[in-house]
Amino acid sequence: MTSKPTQQTKTLSWDQQNNDQRLLSLQQLIELQATDQYLDILAGSKDAGIETTQLLEIIRTLDPKTIKQVALITRSRTIAEALVALHGENADLLDLCLFARSVVTRKNAALTINDVSLLKELRAKVKDKDKTVFKVVDQRLAASNKIPDTASTDMESTDTKNTDPKKIAKKNKIKESTSKQSKSNKETQPAFPALSEESAEETPVPKTSTAKKPKAARSSKRVAEIPPEKVNPEKDIPLLEAEIEKLSFKNTARLATFRNTLNRIRKQLDSSATDLTARAQALHEAISQRMEKNLAHQEQLKLSTESLLESLKQALEAGQSHDALPAWDKIQGNISNTSGKIRAELQSQANQYKAKLNEFRDWKIFAATEKKKTLIQQMQHLIESRMHASDRSRHIAAMHKEWKSLGRSSQNETLWREFNQFSDKAYEPCKAYFKERKQVMAGNLQKRREICESLEQELEKLKKDTINIAQVNNLLSTAESDWKKFAPVEQSKIKVVQKRYYAVVNQVRRLRKDSLAVNAKEKQGLINQAEQLAALDDRQQAMSEAKLLQKTWKKLGPTSYKEDKKYWDDFRGACDKIFAERNQEVAAFKQEQKNADEVLNNTLQSLEAVLTLEDDAFRGARGEVQDLVQKFSDALNPKVRKQRSQVIDNFNGIKHKIDARYRTLPDKKRQQLKNAIHEKASFIENLEHQLLNCANQQQFSELKSNLDSSDFEAIAPSGKPEYEQTLQSRLELLLEADSLEALQKLAQQKEQQARVLCIELEIRANIETPAEDQSLRMQIQLDQLKNGFGQMKPDRKENARYALDAELQGLCIGPLETAAQQQLSQRLNQAVKKLL
């Protein structure tokens, strides 16, 4: 069923969109057919203002399937007893025994089933799950002498463990009355109760099987039925002595039974049996000590149980069933190990939470049902998924495990059949996969056997030939790689081939280890010989024989890594002693080379530093350059000349650059002219930048009115009228600009002039022009072709002279925007250097 337990008030909230009208008429109830609320109302789970008799009349008109659904979910004793009587099929009664919510429904259904084989099946299913139904079925089978052998064994073993006389009497009474209950039950079950409206809610349907007699009558009957127990002190005392050693003071029930048995034995002891009396007294003292400890233990259990009850209360208030149910089990376990007032008090405190716990269990069953339905849907979706078979198999196993962990649920058998059916379909692709995987594993097994055979053959060769350690290492590495590659292998067959593989591998490793040991011994012998040679007076003979030892060393095989390094260090140390004198000469030569290299590198760095000087400083560094060149030549002696070709090439390259710069370096007169023009141009450029960087016209006007150009006249003239006139014109144009816009327009005109100058220089220097000036360059080249048709190409000196004049012209052009000035100045300097 999909209806959920509720903790709402007994007033049924119906149709919130229609102002919460109450369902008061039967016609409204009939309109709710095939809905969960409809079934809950019929089952009495929700109060709709309808009497129980009316509900029963409605149920009578329904189909058997719906009646069964109502019987499964009802918690009303009256409705449950009435609906069980309506079911005549044993299969329906079996479902009610297994899945009904109400214990009354399950118990009455168990009492109604008349098929012995079905009762046996039911008994097996409810064992350890539903104590009430199991007890009823067990009694009916016992009464009819049809109980299985395993059941009787269980009951006998239980009875032997339970020595409480009251419980034994109760079991005897149950066995005697079971057959009468099963017979009278069929006779007293009504076909359908006809109750008046006044008594329908209160008066239960008569049921002989559940009728109880007064407590006093029951207790007196049990006392009468207890058979007198006979004790045999000679036999029983040794048994009690053996038991007392193992009996713990924490076992409350057994302690009480033990003491009662001992008291009966002591009462029947003869005064003449002094030995048995003494032994009984010793048992009495031992059990008394344990009983005292047991009282303290029960007090501790009480405190522990009260703490658990508080935890249970909090868990129930928080709605945490996963904490509440385990706490309840611990509480019941503690209570079962107490007695007397403590047990009664704790049981009374625990009983107040029983109803809430039952509700939680119902919720748990409902949640398990919903979760199982979800698992069914997931399993159904898994059928159509494209998941790999191995992953699919793991998912199926995980879902089966989760299903098992959910425990009992409503419609348990039906849901399991559906789940198992989808599981079988989902597992179909896995069968083919595992079949193919088995074939792959068989192939891998064969390949691994071939690896073993190959290793065994190589092992025989290694035993006959001289071992090459490198080849052995390669053999083992290849075998290990192939072994891992051919996996997996069937587990039932892997041990044999694995044992065979590691056996031959260990033999190969043992041969390798023996070979390494031989090599180590030979290397140690060469080390001893070298140490002896170091003591000879004839150094020449010692060095000759040491060279032979070195050749022999190279032919020896390796040892382990750590040993090899140690042997080599020892051998090399001994040889170094032999060649110590020659090594000193070599060291001196190396030091000489090192010093020469240092001088050469320092000289190159000094020459490179000269190249970075300004023109004036560079002009005055001629003497320093000559000294550095001479120093480099002195350091480059004939012994190291061939080994220092790269250093020589670097030196020649730097020397060529220095010579080329000296050739293009302007004379002092030209430099003075450039400095004078640059000073005046810088003064004007500073004024231009201040005005061009103004934010608005007002700031421009204020700044221009405060400009002071008187210092321009104080700067020394260059002596070249054409440049002086150009600079003076540049200053006048700046002062005549009456607005920021006019100055910016003038800057654009001068920028175009500077671009033309740069392009003309780039054409002469035969270097690339940026993409944005390519069209202007083509136009200038066409004009030059027209004007220079028939003229000779300018020579180097003419180009150099033109470049120097263009450099000075570039200083005089302005105003220019900052970005444009930086770009064009860089292009101009690059072209000038190329022409010079």
Side-chain angles (χ1 to χ4, degrees):
M1 299 298 297
T2 58
S3 59
K4 301 180 181 179
T6 180
Q7 296 181 6
Q8 297 176 353
T9 59
K10 291 185 178 181
T11 303
L12 174 64
S13 297
W14 175 252
D15 197 352
Q16 296 291 340
Q17 299 177 357
N18 293 319
N19 300 323
D20 297 334
Q21 296 177 352
R22 289 175 53 83
L23 187 64
L24 299 176
S25 67
L26 295 177
Q27 183 61 32
Q28 288 176 306
L29 178 60
I30 295 173
E31 292 175 357
L32 285 175
Q33 289 187 14
T35 67
D36 292 343
Q37 287 183 327
Y38 170 71
L39 295 175
D40 287 340
I41 293 170
L42 291 179
S45 301
K46 291 184 178 180
D47 185 10
I50 303 175
E51 298 293 340
T52 306
T53 54
Q54 293 177 301
L55 292 176
L56 291 172
E57 291 176 0
I58 296 172
I59 295 171
R60 182 185 298 178
T61 63
L62 301 176
D63 59 279
K65 183 178 179 181
T66 306
I67 294 175
K68 181 178 178 181
Q69 289 177 319
V70 176
L72 286 169
I73 66 173
T74 185
R75 291 189 180 278
S76 169
R77 185 184 187 94
T78 304
I79 296 176
E81 292 175 343
L83 295 187
V84 170
L86 292 178
H87 289 80
E89 295 292 334
N90 285 328
D92 293 338
L93 293 171
L94 180 62
D95 290 340
L96 293 179
C97 291
L98 293 174
F99 307 118
R101 290 184 182 176
S102 173
V103 66
V104 177
T105 306
R106 299 197 299 272
K107 183 176 181 181
N108 280 277
L111 290 170
T112 308
I113 296 175
N114 53 18
D115 189 341
V116 175
S117 61
L118 204 59
L119 286 174
K120 292 180 181 179
E121 179 183 352
L122 178 60
R123 182 182 182 278
K125 289 183 177 181
V126 299
K127 185 178 181 181
D128 299 328
K129 296 180 180 179
D130 191 333
K131 295 181 180 178
T132 303
V133 176
F134 179 79
K135 183 177 179 180
V136 171
V137 175
D138 211 24
Q139 292 171 355
R140 293 192 62 195
L141 289 172
S144 59
N145 296 323
K146 297 296 184 179
I147 189 167
D149 295 338
T150 55
S152 61
T153 305
D154 293 340
M155 291 180 65
E156 289 173 4
S157 62
T158 304
D159 290 342
T160 55
K161 292 180 182 178
N162 188 1
T163 57
D164 189 346
K166 294 183 179 180
K167 293 184 178 180
I168 295 173
K170 185 176 180 180
K171 287 184 176 292
N172 293 335
K173 179 183 176 182
I174 290 171
K175 291 179 180 179
E176 292 174 0
S177 60
T178 304
S179 59
K180 296 180 181 180
Q181 290 177 349
S182 59
K183 292 179 181 179
S184 61
N185 182 64
K186 295 181 180 181
E187 299 174 359
T188 57
Q189 290 289 342
F192 199 91
L195 302 176
S196 63
E197 295 182 0
E198 293 79 4
S199 61
E201 295 288 346
E202 301 175 358
T203 307
V205 177
K207 189 158 72 72
T208 306
S209 60
T210 60
K212 294 184 179 179
K213 296 183 178 181
K215 185 175 181 181
R218 294 200 307 272
S219 61
S220 62
K221 184 174 181 180
R222 281 200 298 268
V223 172
E225 291 178 354
I226 296 176
E229 293 192 23
K230 296 181 180 180
V231 294
N232 187 343
E234 294 181 356
K235 293 182 179 180
D236 293 343
I237 287 179
L239 296 176
L240 294 179
E241 288 175 338
E243 183 179 358
I244 194 65
E245 299 297 331
K246 302 178 182 179
L247 185 59
S248 171
F249 68 90
K250 296 181 180 181
N251 194 340
T252 304
R254 185 56 193 152
L255 286 172
T257 305
F258 187 98
R259 184 176 60 180
N260 294 337
T261 304
L262 180 61
N263 289 337
R264 287 196 299 272
I265 292 173
R266 293 178 67 193
K267 290 178 181 179
Q268 297 185 22
L269 281 174
D270 190 358
S271 57
S272 60
T274 56
D275 179 57
L276 293 177
T277 303
R279 293 166 66 182
Q281 181 62 28
L283 288 172
H284 176 70
E285 293 175 358
I287 195 64
S288 298
Q289 293 176 0
R290 283 172 172 74
M291 292 297 290
E292 290 178 2
K293 291 182 180 181
N294 180 259
L295 291 176
H297 175 62
Q298 290 193 49
E299 290 295 336
Q300 292 179 355
L301 283 179
K302 180 181 179 183
L303 296 176
S304 174
T305 306
E306 288 175 349
S307 176
L308 287 171
L309 285 169
E310 184 62 27
S311 300
L312 175 64
K313 179 181 178 182
Q314 294 176 1
L316 291 174
E317 291 175 353
Q320 298 174 347
S321 62
H322 58 281
D323 292 334
L325 294 176
W328 174 262
D329 293 338
K330 292 179 181 178
I331 290 168
Q332 293 303 314
N334 289 351
I335 292 174
S336 66
N337 204 24
T338 57
S339 61
K341 293 182 179 180
I342 295 178
R343 180 167 188 166
E345 182 181 351
L346 293 177
Q347 191 64 58
S348 176
Q349 295 178 20
N351 285 342
Q352 59 182 324
Y353 304 111
K354 193 170 183 180
K356 187 72 172 178
L357 275 166
N358 288 334
E359 186 175 346
F360 269 36
R361 286 194 179 96
D362 291 341
W363 268 106
K364 190 174 182 180
I365 292 174
F366 167 76
T369 303
E370 296 301 317
K371 183 60 178 175
K372 285 184 177 181
K373 290 180 179 179
T374 304
L375 287 175
I376 291 172
Q377 293 177 356
Q378 293 176 1
M379 188 66 76
Q380 189 175 6
H381 293 159
L382 191 62
I383 296 174
E384 302 174 357
S385 70
R386 298 182 179 180
M387 188 182 299
H388 191 270
S390 61
D391 295 334
R392 181 190 291 251
S393 175
R394 285 194 293 271
H395 275 69
I396 293 173
M399 283 192 279
H400 274 272
K401 185 176 181 181
E402 185 176 0
W403 182 282
K404 186 177 180 180
S405 66
L406 291 174
R408 189 168 64 89
S409 65
S410 300
Q411 306 175 6
N412 198 57
E413 292 297 324
T414 303
L415 293 177
W416 165 249
R417 285 193 294 270
E418 187 176 1
F419 176 78
N420 197 37
Q421 180 182 2
F422 289 136
S423 173
D424 292 342
K425 291 182 180 179
Y427 192 75
E428 286 297 329
C430 301
K431 294 180 180 178
Y433 166 75
F434 286 117
K435 182 179 180 180
E436 181 181 355
R437 188 168 180 266
K438 190 172 183 180
Q439 295 175 352
V440 171
M441 289 193 293
N444 290 338
L445 177 62
Q446 181 60 31
K447 290 292 183 182
R448 286 193 170 187
R449 286 172 177 167
E450 293 175 1
I451 293 173
C452 293
E453 292 175 1
S454 176
L455 283 174
E456 289 167 352
Q457 294 173 3
E458 294 295 330
L459 178 62
E460 294 299 326
K461 294 179 182 179
L462 291 175
K463 290 179 179 179
K464 299 176 181 178
D465 302 336
T466 303
I467 295 178
N468 186 320
I469 301 298
Q471 292 180 356
V472 172
N473 290 337
N474 184 47
L475 174 65
L476 291 174
S477 177
T478 303
E480 183 178 2
S481 176
D482 292 343
W483 183 267
K484 292 179 179 179
K485 182 171 65 175
F486 296 113
V489 177
E490 192 173 346
Q491 291 297 317
S492 60
K493 300 178 181 179
I494 193 173
K495 290 185 178 180
V496 177
V497 68
Q498 203 166 21
K499 184 177 180 181
R500 179 184 177 187
Y501 169 76
Y502 284 112
V504 66
V505 165
N506 289 334
Q507 291 184 53
V508 174
R509 289 174 178 170
R510 193 176 299 108
L511 288 177
R512 180 179 62 179
K513 185 177 180 181
D514 295 341
S515 178
L516 292 175
V518 172
N519 293 337
K521 184 176 181 180
E522 292 179 352
K523 287 187 176 184
Q524 186 60 49
L526 292 179
I527 292 170
N528 296 335
Q529 294 180 37
E531 291 175 348
Q532 293 173 2
L533 290 176
L536 290 178
D537 295 334
D538 190 349
R539 307 310 300 169
Q540 191 64 35
Q541 179 184 357
M543 286 190 291
S544 299
E545 292 184 9
K547 291 179 181 178
L548 295 176
L549 292 179
Q550 290 175 347
K551 292 180 180 179
T552 306
W553 183 278
K554 293 179 181 179
K555 295 178 181 179
L556 295 179
T559 59
S560 65
Y561 176 76
K562 292 183 179 180
E563 291 179 347
D564 225 21
K565 187 176 184 303
K566 179 181 177 300
Y567 289 141
W568 170 246
D569 291 340
D570 294 344
F571 182 72
R572 184 175 179 179
C575 292
D576 288 344
K577 292 179 182 178
I578 299 171
F579 296 98
E581 186 176 341
R582 192 188 70 172
N583 292 341
Q584 292 176 359
E585 295 176 359
V586 173
F589 178 72
K590 288 183 178 179
Q591 184 63 35
E592 183 181 353
Q593 284 184 323
K594 183 179 179 181
N595 295 336
D597 289 341
E598 187 175 353
V599 171
L600 294 174
N601 291 329
N602 292 337
T603 304
L604 288 177
Q605 292 177 3
S606 300
L607 289 173
E608 289 176 349
V610 171
L611 274 175
T612 61
L613 298 175
E614 296 294 336
D615 287 347
D616 292 340
F618 183 75
R619 184 181 289 104
R622 285 183 180 272
E624 182 182 355
V625 170
Q626 291 177 358
D627 293 340
L628 291 173
V629 170
Q630 186 61 40
K631 186 177 180 180
F632 185 87
S633 299
D634 294 342
L636 198 65
N637 58 59
K639 292 182 180 180
V640 299
R641 182 177 293 274
K642 293 183 179 180
Q643 302 173 6
R644 300 295 179 267
S645 59
Q646 184 176 358
V647 176
I648 296 172
D649 292 341
N650 292 340
F651 170 78
N652 291 334
I654 296 173
K655 183 68 169 56
H656 178 73
K657 291 179 181 179
I658 292 174
D659 294 340
R661 184 174 178 185
Y662 274 124
R663 285 195 301 270
T664 59
L665 193 66
D667 54 18
K668 291 183 179 180
K669 185 177 180 182
R670 182 78 180 182
Q671 187 66 34
Q672 291 175 357
L673 173 63
K674 181 179 178 182
N675 294 339
I677 294 174
H678 185 269
E679 185 176 2
K680 285 193 172 186
S682 298
F683 178 84
I684 300 173
E685 182 180 334
N686 184 35
L687 298 178
E688 292 170 347
H689 286 172
Q690 292 181 28
L691 293 174
L692 285 171
N693 291 330
C694 291
N696 50 48
Q697 181 61 35
Q698 181 180 358
Q699 185 180 0
F700 177 84
S701 301
E702 293 177 356
L703 184 60
K704 186 178 179 185
S705 62
N706 296 328
L707 286 179
D708 184 10
S709 61
S710 58
D711 294 339
F712 180 77
E713 301 298 336
I715 300 175
S718 63
K720 289 289 184 179
E722 61 270 21
Y723 298 118
E724 291 291 333
Q725 185 178 358
T726 303
L727 291 171
Q728 185 65 36
S729 174
R730 178 178 177 182
L731 179 61
E732 291 175 356
L733 289 173
L734 176 66
L735 297 176
E736 291 175 358
D738 56 354
S739 65
L740 178 60
E741 183 179 355
L743 183 61
Q744 291 174 346
K745 187 174 181 181
L746 178 61
Q748 293 177 359
Q749 295 175 359
K750 294 301 180 179
E751 180 182 344
Q752 187 67 15
Q753 182 181 348
R755 287 184 184 277
V756 171
L757 180 62
C758 289
I759 293 172
E760 290 177 349
L761 279 172
E762 288 167 350
I763 293 173
R764 277 183 175 262
N766 195 23
I767 60 177
E768 291 293 331
T769 299
E772 62 268 16
D773 291 338
Q774 284 293 335
S775 59
L776 182 58
R777 174 170 176 158
M778 292 179 64
Q779 183 180 353
I780 293 173
Q781 285 178 321
L782 289 174
D783 294 340
Q784 288 179 352
L785 287 174
K786 291 178 183 179
N787 297 331
F789 185 74
Q791 297 181 5
M792 294 181 64
K793 186 176 181 181
D795 58 5
R796 182 180 180 84
K797 291 184 178 179
E798 186 178 353
N799 284 336
R801 187 167 51 254
Y802 179 82
L804 294 173
D805 292 340
E807 184 180 13
L808 297 177
Q809 291 178 20
L811 293 174
C812 298
I813 297 175
L816 294 173
E817 295 284 354
T818 304
Q821 184 181 15
Q822 293 177 353
Q823 180 190 13
L824 295 174
S825 297
Q826 184 178 1
R827 290 172 58 184
L828 183 67
N829 293 333
Q830 183 181 2
V832 168
K833 288 182 179 180
K834 182 71 180 293
L835 290 173
L836 293 177

